[in-house]
Amino acid sequence: MSFKVSDVMDDLQYLIRNTANRTEVLLAVGMGHRTFKRIMGGKPDDTVQPRTAEAVFRAADEMRLEQDAPVGCVPVKVVMAYVDSPEGRAFISECRGVAS
């Protein structure tokens, strides 16, 4: 599957608007300065590598999930990290045992 600059631009602009600086965008996506400049300065029909496009989509989705968390609630990203941790798996096992 191939992606174009126009496919990733909305998500990339969203990341830019919601971070302190562009370095944070590069770190969140995992792309280099050259790739960023090529996409930002590219024509809508220029191609973007699938890996880069998917990283942009994933970073924007994660940011949206974090920002959509109600005040006082734990962001989804934090919960997912806990679920994947040894402590989280132990807690889930314990809960399943109690529910039986």
Side-chain angles (χ1 to χ4, degrees):
M1 179 173 212
S2 64
F3 294 94
K4 298 182 186 302
V5 167
S6 60
D7 297 328
V8 300
M9 190 55 73
D10 286 342
D11 283 343
L12 198 52
Q13 291 288 349
Y14 175 81
L15 290 168
I16 292 167
R17 282 191 310 272
N18 291 286
T19 53
N21 56 53
R22 292 186 181 176
T23 301
E24 286 186 20
V25 173
L26 298 178
L27 291 172
V29 174
M31 77 166 71
H33 289 281
R34 285 186 189 164
T35 303
F36 180 78
K37 287 172 72 173
R38 188 179 59 76
I39 292 172
M40 293 304 293
K43 297 178 181 132
D45 289 335
D46 289 350
T47 59
V48 176
Q49 290 184 3
R51 186 181 66 197
T52 302
E54 290 165 6
V56 169
F57 300 148
R58 185 173 36 261
D61 287 345
E62 287 176 1
M63 184 173 286
R64 286 184 185 102
L65 285 173
E66 286 179 9
Q67 291 180 347
D68 289 344
V71 175
C73 293
V74 179
V76 172
K77 187 176 185 179
V78 173
V79 173
M80 296 308 294
Y82 178 73
V83 168
D84 288 337
S85 72
E87 297 86 9
R89 286 192 288 266
F91 178 74
I92 290 168
S93 294
E94 184 179 324
C95 290
R96 286 183 179 152
V98 171
S100 302

